[in-house]
Amino acid sequence: MIFQPVLNVFLLLLLFAPVAALAVWMLVRGRGALWALRLGMLLACFLMLLRPGIPGGATQTLATDTDIVILLDTTASIVAEDWDGDQPRLDGARSDVAAIVDEYPGARFALITFDASAEQRLPLTTDTTALMSSLEILRPEVTSQSRGSSIGIAATMLRETLASAAEASPDRSRMVFYLGDGEQTVSSAPESFADSAGYVDGGAVLGYGTTDGGPMRITSGPLGGDAASGEYIEYQGEPALSVIDDTNLQAIAEELGVPFQLRDAELPVDLPEAPTTTTNYAESGSVGNVIELYWVFALVIVLLLAVELARAAMLTSQLRGLALRGGGS
């Protein structure tokens, strides 16, 4: 038997002792079953607040001893409005990152964003709340400062991040998720991710956008500031459209050695299993289950209250009958 009291035991004793003393004193004076009932109710309440229980075995918890690096496109095209109809692609990326976090419990996550340059927004951490908060405040690059971007601009930073993780924790596996539309807007060829492939044990390239393309709103202010002015970026007097380039995305997937998946709002993201060498139950330990017994004493209290209420109702009925007889005489 174990106890998990809702309050400090000494505080509970301080609260219940005076009332218990009163009930015992009334019993000693011969008040009978009524106060025995109330003393039983008080004892049941005390035991319920102690939250008694018995060990009920153990539930193993899954641990994913994996380092996961998320590469996220933050060029103006990430808010092109062709996700789930006319929603910005960034909404889909955020939703998929949340799914990634849920899929790999216990993993460490790093976030790298890229537009005209690459930037590590979050180093490897198990703080998934920080990761999701970073995504919530994330905004694309300022439209007026955009000078074109390369879809491979983050290749060097990714390789350095993975190499550092491998050196610090060689026993952990590493996964990479690249989220973008594959649109190369500079004249040079994209940088290759092939140098990172040796560190990658899994992951995926997730593509956002449509072949018809989506319009992009003008963005202003720093990341986390005002997202859009309401006006669209124009080209030759018409809204400029961002079109997905799945050929480029497939090339990145081949360089990293991971599958490519074209994302659709109507379908859940298909995530690979974590490498089995670092997905385990043993090292993560086990969480002991406790079979709670407080409900037994709560039931006793309900039953005793029912008896008390029935007695009170009976006395009320008797008093009402005496009053009616007294009025008649």
Side-chain angles (χ1 to χ4, degrees):
M1 179 75 69
I2 61 174
F3 296 92
Q4 304 173 80
V6 297
L7 293 174
N8 186 282
V9 175
F10 294 106
L11 181 58
L12 289 176
L13 289 172
L14 185 63
L15 292 172
F16 280 85
V19 184
L22 174 63
V24 171
W25 183 65
M26 296 299 290
L27 274 175
V28 171
R29 294 191 59 188
R31 297 290 181 170
L34 175 60
W35 281 96
L37 181 74
R38 291 171 179 171
L39 183 60
M41 192 184 308
L42 186 69
L43 180 61
C45 185
F46 179 78
L47 292 173
M48 181 184 69
L49 293 178
L50 287 179
R51 285 188 62 199
I54 56 176
T59 299
Q60 291 180 313
T61 55
L62 178 66
T64 306
D65 296 331
T66 303
D67 292 333
I68 298 177
V69 182
I70 297 172
L71 299 175
L72 177 61
D73 183 350
T74 51
T75 60
S77 61
I78 197 62
V79 289
E81 297 174 353
D82 58 359
W83 171 263
D84 196 16
D86 59 356
Q87 299 303 306
R89 297 169 183 171
L90 185 56
D91 287 357
R94 286 171 174 152
S95 176
D96 286 346
V97 172
I100 291 171
V101 168
D102 291 339
E103 183 69 17
Y104 308 107
R108 296 193 303 181
F109 295 90
L111 175 63
I112 296 175
T113 62
F114 60 93
D115 37 57
S117 61
E119 184 174 351
Q120 188 174 66
R121 300 286 173 185
L122 194 70
L124 284 169
T125 178
T126 56
D127 188 354
T128 56
T129 300
L131 172 63
M132 299 311 299
S133 296
S134 297
L135 288 173
E136 285 301 317
I137 65 172
L138 199 62
R139 299 293 182 267
E141 63 180 341
V142 179
T143 304
S144 61
Q145 298 177 3
S146 178
R147 298 294 182 270
S149 60
S150 172
I151 57 175
I153 192 69
T156 299
M157 183 171 289
L158 174 63
R159 178 176 53 79
E160 292 174 350
T161 301
L162 293 173
S164 297
E167 182 179 358
S169 304
D171 294 335
R172 296 175 69 91
S173 62
R174 289 160 296 280
M175 302 179 76
V176 174
F177 290 92
Y178 180 107
L179 292 75
D181 53 38
E183 199 171 26
Q184 181 81 357
T185 56
V186 292
S187 57
S188 59
E191 297 85 344
S192 174
F193 287 92
D195 289 344
S196 296
Y199 299 106
V200 179
D201 301 305
V205 171
L206 306 179
Y208 302 85
T210 60
T211 54
D212 293 334
M216 300 164 285
R217 294 185 186 273
I218 296 174
T219 57
S220 60
L223 291 179
D226 294 334
S229 65
E231 300 178 358
Y232 288 95
I233 300 173
E234 293 188 354
Y235 177 72
Q236 296 181 345
E238 297 292 333
L241 298 179
S242 170
V243 180
I244 189 173
D245 191 327
D246 50 6
T247 301
N248 280 342
L249 293 173
Q250 182 63 55
I252 293 174
E254 291 174 359
E255 291 168 358
L256 289 171
V258 299
F260 165 62
Q261 183 180 163
L262 179 61
R263 292 294 298 118
D264 188 314
E266 296 182 358
L267 299 174
V269 61
D270 184 16
L271 298 174
E273 293 184 2
T276 55
T277 55
T278 55
T279 303
N280 61 77
Y281 292 90
E283 292 186 9
S284 63
S286 59
V287 177
N289 262 351
V290 176
I291 300 176
E292 299 274 6
L293 297 178
Y294 71 88
W295 60 271
V296 175
F297 300 101
L299 182 60
V300 170
I301 293 171
V302 170
L303 293 175
L304 294 178
L305 278 175
V307 174
E308 185 83 14
L309 290 173
R311 179 179 175 280
M314 183 179 64
L315 290 175
T316 301
S317 178
Q318 290 176 350
L319 289 174
R320 187 173 298 167
L322 289 174
L324 288 175
R325 287 196 296 271
S329 62

